[in-house]
Amino acid sequence: MEALLIEGDTILVAFWMTIRLTAVSALGSLVLGTLLTAMRVAPLASLRGAASCYVSVARNTPLTLVLLFTGLGVGANLGVELSDDIATNNFWLAAIGLTAYTSAFVCEALRSGLNTVPVGQAEAARSLGLGFVKALALITLPQAFRAVVAPLGSILIALTKNTTIALVVGVSEASVRMREMIETYGDQVIEIFFGFAAGFVLLCLPMGLLFGWLSRRLAVAR
């Protein structure tokens, strides 16, 4: 407990990095996942095939490899620099990797939500003269989002925990700080472990409760 009190400020900074990384990656995953969903149900076979291939590869590739690709492949080998500051550059590379990985799961959740929308909804939209994009944006996707609030919440919680793997890109989030503290305070391993575990519970538990409430609140009556 002494170590947690001494390092309190640095622990808060580390968890703030975790929160920032989660927020940026969640927003990017939602945008990219929605785009992939639109491609998977598009009338063009080439778009459906491209999106299906991306989702299959991303879902079956370990996240560690994805982050190594963005950190070493994109960052180091290709020399892509998103910021002059190394820490900031690593942050954005990690966010890109997490977004690329998580968006595949968002896509599958939204696609399952689209399957709950009655076919008559899309047919009615077409009868009113709405094209594919407008019908998707105005009619079917809003209903799909309401149907998959709970699964999206689970994906967000998983993303929050997945940020611990960002250490392979050099991002100093909570898990990195925990490892450093264990090396420094070797006689307080149990206290440090449970302290950081409690921190992640405080992050994830409210999200689960919020999305559970939203799921009940926004449920579509069939």
Side-chain angles (χ1 to χ4, degrees):
M1 185 62 70
E2 179 184 353
L4 296 175
L5 294 176
I6 293 175
E7 303 289 344
D9 290 341
T10 57
I11 293 173
L12 290 177
V13 170
F15 271 104
W16 175 238
M17 175 63 73
T18 295
I19 294 172
R20 287 172 53 205
L21 190 56
T22 300
V24 172
S25 302
L27 180 59
S29 299
L30 186 62
V31 173
L32 181 56
T34 303
L35 178 61
L36 288 170
T37 303
M39 292 173 64
R40 292 209 69 176
V41 297
L44 294 178
S46 58
L47 291 179
R48 294 197 304 271
S52 178
C53 180
Y54 178 92
V55 170
S56 296
V57 171
R59 291 181 67 198
N60 292 285
T61 302
L63 177 57
T64 303
L65 293 182
V66 175
L67 290 176
L68 283 174
F69 174 77
T70 58
L72 298 179
V74 176
N77 291 338
L78 297 181
V80 175
E81 293 186 1
L82 303 174
S83 173
D84 293 333
D85 180 67
I86 295 178
T88 304
N89 188 62
N90 289 342
F91 172 86
W92 286 111
L93 290 174
I96 290 173
L98 287 168
T99 296
Y101 179 79
T102 308
S103 60
F105 294 89
V106 172
C107 171
E108 288 299 277
L110 285 177
R111 193 165 69 95
S112 68
L114 285 176
N115 291 334
T116 67
V117 179
V119 177
Q121 297 280 341
E123 293 176 346
R126 285 194 295 270
S127 68
L128 293 174
L130 296 179
F132 168 75
V133 175
K134 286 188 176 180
L136 188 68
L138 301 176
I139 306 298
T140 53
L141 261 185
Q143 296 183 67
F145 270 108
R146 292 181 64 178
V148 297
V149 170
L152 288 178
S154 298
I155 292 172
L156 178 59
I157 291 173
L159 171 60
T160 303
K161 293 183 286 187
N162 284 341
T163 58
T164 57
I165 307 178
L167 62 90
V168 302
V169 191
V171 178
S172 298
E173 39 69 57
S175 67
V176 174
R177 188 57 194 145
M178 182 182 72
R179 184 181 62 181
E180 293 173 348
M181 288 182 61
I182 288 176
E183 293 175 354
T184 304
Y185 304 93
D187 59 332
Q188 302 180 52
V189 173
I190 295 178
E191 293 90 339
I192 293 172
F193 174 81
F194 279 105
F196 276 87
F200 275 99
V201 169
L202 290 176
L203 286 180
C204 297
L205 184 59
M207 285 191 280
L209 295 175
L210 174 62
F211 277 89
W213 176 80
L214 286 174
S215 178
R216 295 187 296 271
R217 176 73 174 174
L218 300 176
V220 179
R222 300 295 184 191

